[in-house]
């Protein structure tokens, strides 16, 4: 949609992005395209028409590419260029190393998405040929066409948050795996244990009681039954205290004690299965301690960035949940608009319009999967306590026209959370439910809308 100037807001944003890229890829600079690998680095120097000025293979690790950059700068100056712009694909950790080497030499540095290179490879000569030489030239050509992007700037505190976020995500994955393994084992060898609590793996009492059982009698429940209910409750109470709790849920304890007489399950595998459950309970408890420590560190980094008060002003968003999102986005201020952040997560709608045809709108599904996951997890708590999100969810799932499913509405709320986080951080203004409901523009042209 255009305004009086004949230029839409999307046009202005795109023009501004291209202007920023042009500053990094000026016509007076040659382009150094580098195809990164472990011990072999292919380097080409091209002009803006993708004509190769020089090429060379360097047998070195990523940290040895300093001499390659110096060589490329010499070749560019010999051809009359004022400097060079370094470009590569974001391959593993090596692109960060190359970015550091380029920054040490005051060389502009950009990245090209591997998907762009893949598409360009097919359009180059209508084949699927792939060589290091060709890829390096394609990287340089795409950079000359400004089909590249400015990578996230290196900053110590934000970098630490990203690493802690990655560790937290790994620990959560391990915890889920451990729970699933214990559930599968118990369903096989002692299914009665799983029905003693509505959510057994969320219950500290159930975990403590299970530990008392598997630690005492090695799958022969006779010893625990001989202990008696009263002494069993005392043992569970002692274990609960050791785990930092105060008192057990006696209903769960009594049901679990009664389940000791249940004969259901593959008895021949019960001893080995419960031995694995015991080992998994140890790993799970250790994992929970590591996860709690990591989350404390994450919140401390958020405090160091002075963002905790701002992000938690959004009702239903915890400091840990917001930090998990920011660990994937980096500093939201590097995104010019909130929509750009939503696109980065792959939560932006994808339109299909051609003439009078209107296709079904779906999400792009591109971007960072772990960012989508972090935003998705934040939805569940936000819908319970945030009246704005809850009202928006009810409206989307109950309206007469274009009613959304529960999953679709939750996706809309996830995108709204990202937009609101971008708004409060870039503006420095706490979240306001009135502004979030009705939308407004402040003096910084920051939009806060559901």
């Amino acid at each position: 949609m255009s305004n009086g100037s004949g230029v839409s807001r999307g046009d202005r944003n795109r023009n501004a992005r291209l202007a920023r890229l042009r500053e990094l890829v000026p016509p007076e600079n040659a382009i150094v395209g580098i195809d990164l690998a472990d011990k072999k680095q292919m380097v080409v120097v091209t002009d803006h028409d993708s004509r190769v000025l020089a090429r060379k293979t360097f047998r070195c690790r990523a940290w040895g590419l300093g001499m390659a950059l110096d060589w490329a700068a010499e070749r560019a100056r010999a051809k009359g260029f004022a400097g060079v712009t370094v470009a590569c694909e974001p391959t593993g950790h090596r692109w960060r190393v190359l970015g550091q080497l380029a920054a040490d030499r005051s060389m502009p540095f950009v990245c090209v998405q591997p998907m762009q290179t893949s598409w360009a490879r097919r359009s180059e000569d209508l084949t699927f040929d792939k060589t290091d030489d060709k890829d390096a030239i394609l990287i340089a050509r795409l950079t000359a066409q400004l089909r590249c992007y400015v990578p996230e700037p290196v900053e110590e505190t934000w970098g630490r948050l990203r690493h802690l976020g990655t560790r937290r995500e790994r620990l959560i994955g391990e915890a889920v795996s451990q729970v699933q393994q214990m559930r599968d084992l118990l369903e096989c060898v002692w299914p009665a244990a799983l029905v003693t609590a509505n959510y057994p793996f969320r219950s500290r009492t159930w975990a403590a009681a299970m530990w008392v059982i598997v630690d005492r009698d090695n799958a022969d429940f006779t010893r625990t039954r001989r202990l008696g209910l009263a002494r069993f409750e005392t043992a569970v109470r002692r274990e609960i205290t050791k785990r930092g709790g105060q008192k057990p849920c006696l209903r769960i304890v009594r049901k679990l004690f009664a389940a000791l007489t249940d004969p259901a399950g593959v008895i021949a595998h019960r001893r080995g299965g419960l031995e694995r459950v015991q080992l998994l309970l140890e790993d799970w408890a250790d994992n929970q301690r590591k996860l709690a420590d990591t989350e404390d560190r994450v919140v401390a980094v958020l405090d160091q960035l002075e963002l905790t008060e701002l992000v938690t002003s959004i009702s239903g968003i915890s400091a840990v949940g917001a930090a998990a999102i920011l660990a994937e986005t980096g500093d939201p201020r590097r995104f010019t608009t909130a929509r750009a952040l939503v696109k980065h997560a792959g939560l932006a709608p994808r339109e299909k319009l051609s003439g009078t045809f209107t296709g079904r709108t779906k999400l792009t599904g591109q971007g960072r999967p772990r960012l989508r996951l972090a935003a998705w997890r934040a939805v569940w708590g936000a819908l319970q306590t945030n009246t704005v999100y809850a009202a928006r969810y009810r409206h989307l799932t109950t309206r007469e026209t274009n009613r959304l499913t529960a999953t679709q509405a939750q996706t809309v709320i996830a995108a709204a959370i990202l937009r609101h986080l971008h708004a409060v951080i870039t503006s420095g203004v706490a979240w306001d439910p009135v502004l979030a409901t009705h939308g407004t523009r402040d003096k910084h042209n920051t939009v806060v809308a559901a």
Side-chain angles (χ1 to χ4, degrees):
M1 183 177 295
S2 62
N3 53 25
S5 67
V7 180
S8 69
R9 182 177 61 182
D11 292 332
R12 290 193 296 271
N13 290 337
R14 181 176 180 274
N15 292 344
R17 178 173 58 83
L18 291 176
R20 289 191 298 271
L21 288 173
R22 181 54 69 194
E23 291 179 0
L24 296 175
V25 193
E28 58 271 16
N29 273 15
I31 299 172
V32 181
I34 303 180
D35 186 66
L36 295 170
D38 185 18
K39 299 179 182 179
K40 176 187 173 184
Q41 322 297 338
M42 184 63 208
V43 181
V44 297
V45 183
T46 72
D47 62 12
H48 283 253
D49 292 325
S50 299
R51 287 191 294 261
V52 177
L53 307 178
R55 74 166 73 222
K56 189 173 181 180
T57 300
F58 289 83
R59 304 283 179 177
C60 63
R61 302 279 188 176
W63 276 112
L65 277 171
M67 57 183 178
L69 297 182
D70 296 335
W71 170 85
E74 292 176 2
R75 292 296 183 273
R77 283 194 295 269
K79 295 295 183 177
F81 288 93
V84 297
T85 296
V86 182
C88 71
E89 290 179 326
T91 306
H93 64 278
R94 301 181 186 97
W95 69 275
R96 293 188 180 275
V97 175
L98 182 60
Q100 179 66 57
L101 294 173
D104 293 342
R105 290 161 175 77
S106 300
M107 295 177 178
F109 176 69
V110 295
C111 285
V112 175
Q113 286 285 3
M115 185 181 297
Q116 291 274 16
T117 309
S118 177
W119 291 339
R121 189 183 301 123
R122 299 182 185 186
S123 63
E124 182 76 7
D125 55 6
L126 301 181
T127 70
F128 293 90
D129 289 350
K130 184 186 186 307
T131 65
D132 295 342
D133 291 0
K134 288 184 178 180
D135 283 357
I137 295 174
L138 287 176
I139 291 170
R141 190 187 77 185
L142 292 170
T143 302
Q145 297 171 355
L146 300 185
R147 295 167 68 182
C148 55
Y149 70 94
V150 183
E152 180 183 356
V154 178
E155 203 280 325
E156 182 177 356
T157 308
W158 282 103
R160 183 179 174 220
L161 180 62
R162 185 178 289 279
H163 286 294
L164 287 173
T166 301
R167 173 175 171 78
R168 177 179 179 270
E169 185 63 30
R170 180 181 63 80
L171 291 172
I172 290 176
E174 290 178 359
V176 171
S177 174
Q178 290 157 358
V179 167
Q180 292 294 346
Q181 290 180 65
M182 286 188 285
R183 186 184 299 277
D184 291 345
L185 288 168
L186 290 173
E187 283 181 351
C188 177
V189 301
W190 190 26
L194 293 173
V195 297
T196 56
N198 292 332
Y199 303 99
F201 295 99
R202 299 182 189 178
S203 169
R204 183 176 294 178
T205 297
W206 185 89
M210 276 297 299
W211 176 256
V212 170
I213 292 171
V214 298
D215 190 48
R216 281 184 58 83
D217 48 26
N218 198 21
D220 181 7
F221 295 150
T222 305
R223 186 181 178 193
T224 305
R225 289 200 302 267
R226 219 173 25 239
L227 190 66
L229 178 59
R231 294 172 63 188
F232 179 66
E233 290 178 357
T234 302
V236 174
R237 193 184 303 274
R238 190 182 306 116
E239 184 64 27
I240 282 281
T241 304
K242 187 187 302 182
R243 294 168 179 255
Q246 294 182 349
K247 59 181 181 179
C249 174
L250 296 181
R251 175 181 56 82
I252 295 176
V253 174
R254 290 162 184 166
K255 284 186 175 182
L256 201 52
F257 186 81
L260 295 172
T261 59
D262 194 305
V266 183
I267 304 300
H269 282 275
R270 178 169 286 184
R271 179 173 181 178
L274 291 184
E275 184 177 15
R276 282 182 62 192
V277 169
Q278 179 184 8
L279 296 173
L280 284 166
L281 281 171
E282 291 180 356
D283 295 340
W284 188 40
D286 184 59
N287 185 284
Q288 294 297 101
R289 287 192 294 270
K290 291 178 180 178
L291 182 59
D293 174 70
T294 301
E295 291 182 344
D296 289 342
R297 292 171 184 264
V298 162
V299 174
V301 174
L302 205 62
D303 292 338
Q304 187 177 350
L305 292 168
E306 299 181 350
L307 294 177
T308 305
E309 186 175 353
L310 274 176
V311 297
T312 55
S313 66
I314 305 177
S315 302
I317 304 297
S318 66
V320 172
I325 294 175
L326 296 179
E328 294 299 324
T329 65
D331 190 347
R333 288 176 281 252
R334 70 190 181 96
F335 296 95
T336 54
T337 64
R339 180 172 173 79
L341 177 56
V342 175
K343 285 183 177 181
H344 188 61
L347 292 174
R350 178 185 61 192
E351 293 182 324
K352 296 183 68 175
L353 302 174
S354 179
T356 59
F357 170 77
T358 301
R360 184 178 179 182
T361 301
K362 298 181 180 180
L363 297 182
T364 63
Q366 304 299 319
R368 297 182 66 90
R370 291 197 305 193
L371 175 55
R372 287 198 297 276
L373 178 60
W376 181 265
R377 285 173 177 162
V379 169
W380 303 101
L383 286 178
Q384 302 301 317
T385 57
N386 189 302
T387 56
V388 174
Y389 295 153
R392 179 68 172 165
Y393 177 82
R394 286 194 300 272
H395 168 71
L396 293 173
T397 54
T398 59
R399 63 189 180 185
E400 295 297 327
T401 305
N402 193 24
R403 182 180 301 177
L404 301 184
T405 65
T407 301
Q408 291 172 328
Q410 289 160 356
T411 304
V412 172
I413 301 303
I417 290 173
L418 293 180
R419 291 198 299 271
H420 292 177
L421 280 173
H422 181 273
V424 299
I425 292 175
T426 55
S427 66
V429 179
W431 187 79
D432 186 342
V434 176
L435 300 185
T437 303
H438 303 292
T440 187
R441 291 181 182 272
D442 62 12
K443 63 182 179 180
H444 300 292
N445 293 326
T446 300
V447 178
V448 182

